[in-house]
């Protein structure tokens, strides 16, 4: 099956209808139609909470952004998720226990982020074959298993393997989260709020990770293993929610006569993956809007996370902060995210709502979604210059933290 065949099949396939590409094996007959938008409010909220919590947990797991030891050691780590960031204060302990240098200690964060980056590329297309529910079950189980395995690691190699697999297998829940929310809420106004909560997860996670990790280590006498076990404990309630989760979509890529052999489903999966990768690369390189948004998002993430790393360095050296105080300083970042979310909702209810009313078919141009990004492009450099202004030792701490 060529890439074009797959794209054609996706367009021709509708809920509850088979692909018109030949006879379908009876084991892959279309399932009963799922209409998640008609579920009760409680069911919708519980199913929305799962991808939101997973986004928060995975991005708090992977955040290496706080300084992990005394100022004299000057160990600086960059952060990006809760699962990674909760480990940040433990870096110096890893160096001592496994007799490794700083660069090697950072490798566990790097492998986690690599798994988090490449996992969705491989795992997300599986939802088109096995459904979203089973993928959520795999990803939530993997987070608990490999986070627990990281905490129980007796050598550095085991820690690296578990961290990579935790990021790789745990990333699928984030990749299909947006699709799940669309399945449940559609394009209704309530869906906009649900999507906003889902987006907040990757930002709130990095800010809370160092705070949680620092206090956990303080409570358990600097035992770095508790930073990983904390992740497993937080993931356990999410796993229980997933057990009671219902399937939100009935769409499947069915195999026809061309892929009816013993390994037909494997060949179809590989063809689908190839088509997905090539289509994504084509959109990124040929669509100006997609390329521009990618560059803007990448720049914004780079600025935010580099700010986390530099703030850790500054507060440790210039203000003699300990890891717990550094974690507390990130509360100002959390407040900023909440204010940004409020600003986004205001723009949605005013400027975007007016654009919807003025649009001939009720569907305004996609650029009307960029009002919040336009405001952010102004506030981001202001915040950076504000932070730099009060960097010198003896500067006003309150003004520096509020930047």
């Amino acid at each position: 099956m060529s890439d074009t065949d797959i794209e054609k099949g996706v367009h021709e396939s509708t809920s509850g209808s088979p692909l018109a590409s030949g006879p379908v094996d009876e084991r892959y007959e279309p399932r009963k139609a799922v209409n998640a938008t008609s579920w009760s409010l409680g069911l919708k909220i519980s199913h929305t909470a799962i991808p939101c919590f997973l986004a928060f947990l995975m991005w708090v797991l992977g955040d290496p952004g706080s300084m992990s030891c005394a100022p004299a050691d000057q160990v600086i780590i960059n952060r990006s998720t809760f699962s990674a960031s909760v480990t940040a204060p433990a870096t110096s302990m890893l160096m001592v226990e496994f007799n490794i240098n700083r660069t090697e200690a950072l490798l566990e964060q790097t492998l986690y982020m690599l798994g988090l980056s490449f996992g969705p590329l491989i795992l997300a297309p599986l939802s088109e074959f096995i459904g979203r529910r089973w993928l959520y079950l795999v990803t939530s189980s993997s987070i608990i298993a490999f986070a627990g395995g990281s905490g129980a690691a007796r050598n550095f190699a085991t820690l690296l393997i578990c961290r990579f697999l935790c990021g790789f297998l745990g990333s699928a829940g984030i990749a299909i989260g947006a699709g799940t929310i669309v399945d449940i809420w559609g394009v209704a106004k309530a869906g906009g709020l649900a999507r906003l909560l889902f987006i907040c997860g990757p930002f709130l996670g990095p800010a809370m990770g160092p705070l949680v990790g620092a206090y956990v280590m303080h409570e358990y006498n600097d035992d770095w293993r508790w930073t990983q076990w904390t992740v497993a404990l937080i993931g356990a309630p999410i796993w229980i929610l997933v057990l009671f989760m219902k399937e939100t979509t009935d769409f499947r890529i069915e195999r026809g006569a061309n892929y009816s052999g013993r390994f037909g489903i494997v060949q179809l999966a590989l063809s689908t993956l190839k088509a997905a990768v090539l289509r994504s690369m084509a959109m990124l390189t040929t669509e100006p809007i997609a390329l521009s948004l990618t560059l803007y998002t990448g720049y914004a993430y780079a600025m935010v996370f580099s700010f986390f790393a530099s703030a850790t360095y500054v507060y440790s050296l210039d203000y003699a902060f300990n890891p717990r105080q550094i974690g507390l300083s990130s509360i100002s970042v959390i407040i900023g995210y909440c204010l940004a979310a409020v600003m986004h909702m205001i723009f949605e209810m005013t400027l975007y709502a007016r654009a919807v009313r003025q649009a001939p078919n009720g569907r305004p141009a996609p650029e009307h979604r960029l009002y919040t990004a336009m405001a952010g492009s102004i506030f981001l450099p202001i915040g950076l210059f504000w932070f730099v202004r009060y960097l010198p030792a003896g500067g006003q701490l309150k003004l520096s933290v509020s930047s």
Side-chain angles (χ1 to χ4, degrees):
M1 179 181 289
S2 65
D3 301 344
T4 305
D5 294 332
I6 293 176
E7 294 181 4
K8 180 180 178 182
V10 170
H11 289 297
E12 290 178 353
S13 177
T14 57
S15 296
S17 63
L19 290 173
S21 58
V24 177
D25 192 304
E26 62 179 1
R27 294 173 297 173
Y28 297 91
E29 290 181 355
R31 295 157 178 79
K32 183 179 180 180
V34 176
N35 185 14
T37 57
S38 63
W39 289 352
S40 65
L41 180 60
L43 201 57
K44 287 184 176 181
I45 292 176
S46 65
H47 282 66
T48 302
I50 292 173
C52 292
F53 286 148
L54 282 175
F56 169 81
L57 182 61
M58 289 305 295
W59 284 98
V60 78
L61 271 172
D63 188 351
S66 64
M67 183 171 287
S68 56
C69 51
D73 295 326
Q74 298 183 7
V75 177
I76 308 169
I77 310 172
N78 191 11
R79 65 160 138 212
S80 52
T81 77
F82 179 87
S83 298
S85 63
V86 76
T87 315
T91 303
S92 60
M93 307 306 163
L94 294 176
M95 296 169 61
V96 172
E97 177 161 344
F98 296 117
N99 192 26
I100 55 178
N101 57 37
R102 187 190 72 168
T103 303
E104 292 171 330
L106 295 178
L107 185 58
E108 61 97 8
Q109 305 290 349
T110 303
L111 288 178
Y112 177 89
M113 293 308 300
L114 286 175
L116 195 65
S117 301
F118 290 100
L121 186 66
I122 307 297
L123 299 177
L126 290 178
S127 66
E128 299 177 352
F129 294 92
I130 64 176
R132 305 198 197 280
R133 180 182 180 274
W134 288 105
L135 205 55
Y136 276 120
L137 188 59
V138 170
T139 193
S140 58
S141 301
S142 299
I143 293 172
I144 297 174
F146 290 108
S150 298
R154 297 302 174 185
N155 56 70
F156 192 54
T158 303
L159 176 63
L160 294 180
I161 294 172
C162 288
R163 290 288 285 168
F164 174 78
L165 292 176
C166 183
F168 185 87
L169 297 176
S171 63
I174 303 175
I176 63 176
T180 300
I181 292 175
V182 172
D183 292 340
I184 297 171
W185 299 98
V187 295
K189 289 184 178 180
L193 178 60
R195 288 188 290 272
L196 179 62
L197 294 175
F198 175 72
I199 294 172
C200 284
F203 287 97
L204 292 177
M208 295 187 66
L211 176 61
V212 175
Y215 275 89
V216 166
M217 288 192 60
H218 177 74
E219 180 69 22
Y220 291 96
N221 301 318
D222 292 335
D223 186 356
W224 66 268
R225 299 180 186 278
W226 274 100
T227 62
Q228 297 302 304
W229 292 334
T230 299
V231 171
L233 291 174
I234 296 176
I238 303 176
W239 180 77
I240 294 175
L241 283 177
V242 173
L243 289 180
F244 296 96
M245 186 181 186
K246 298 171 63 176
E247 183 58 68
T248 62
T249 178
D250 60 345
F251 175 79
R252 300 288 189 280
I253 293 180
E254 314 289 356
R255 64 174 180 177
N258 295 335
Y259 290 89
S260 57
R262 172 181 293 184
F263 299 103
I265 191 66
V266 176
Q267 295 173 345
L268 178 58
L270 293 176
S271 297
T272 304
L273 176 61
K274 177 183 176 182
V277 172
L278 294 179
R279 187 161 56 245
S280 300
M281 294 301 299
M283 291 177 62
L284 182 62
T285 55
T286 61
E287 295 289 343
I289 294 180
L291 179 60
S292 300
L293 285 176
T294 301
L295 293 176
Y296 175 85
T297 304
Y299 175 78
Y301 267 96
M303 289 300 98
V304 170
F305 296 137
S306 62
F307 169 78
F308 282 148
S310 61
T312 297
Y313 181 81
V314 169
Y315 294 145
S316 297
L317 293 183
D318 291 346
Y319 298 102
F321 273 21
N322 59 41
R324 285 171 292 156
Q325 291 171 319
I326 294 173
L328 289 173
S329 69
S330 64
I331 294 178
S332 62
V333 180
I334 298 174
I335 295 174
Y337 291 151
C338 294
L339 293 177
V342 172
M343 181 176 64
H344 176 76
M345 289 189 290
I346 293 175
F347 284 151
E348 285 284 302
M349 293 185 294
T350 55
L351 298 178
Y352 187 75
R354 183 179 64 184
V356 172
R357 292 193 299 268
Q358 294 177 349
N361 57 355
R363 301 181 63 182
E367 288 78 5
H368 287 284
R369 292 285 189 182
L370 298 178
Y371 293 122
T372 308
M374 294 169 63
S377 66
I378 298 174
F379 287 117
L380 183 59
I382 290 177
L384 293 175
F385 280 109
W386 187 347
F387 175 69
V388 173
R389 170 64 179 81
Y390 295 100
L391 270 184
Q396 299 185 41
L397 178 60
K398 290 185 290 186
L399 293 177
S400 177
V401 172
S402 62
S403 65

